[in-house]
Amino acid sequence: MIESFGIETIDIGYSESLTHGLEALKITAAALGREARAETLLAEIERRLIGH
């Protein structure tokens, strides 16, 4: 329905795992032109998960 109004959408599906959620972040960031910000967020997530 949203697309019928000319609004661009992306389909990232439903995240069933952390890996898929992180991939969805990358896809969304690319669609918004915010890849650098996503890389910063992904690095912070990795740092927190690993504990360094």
Side-chain angles (χ1 to χ4, degrees), residues 4-21:
S4 68
F5 292 107
I7 299 170
E8 185 178 342
T9 62
I10 57 171
D11 182 7
I12 57 171
Y14 178 79
S15 294
E16 296 182 11
S17 67
L18 177 59
T19 301
H20 186 267

Side-chain angles (χ1 to χ4, degrees), residues 3-45:
E3 291 171 337
S4 68
F5 292 107
I7 299 170
E8 185 178 342
T9 62
I10 57 171
D11 182 7
I12 57 171
Y14 178 79
S15 294
E16 296 182 11
S17 67
L18 177 59
T19 301
H20 186 267
L22 297 177
E23 187 61 32
L25 174 61
K26 291 178 188 178
I27 293 167
T28 304
L32 297 172
R34 301 292 306 263
E35 294 93 341
R37 177 67 177 133
E39 289 302 319
T40 301
L41 289 172
L42 291 166
E44 179 64 15
I45 292 167

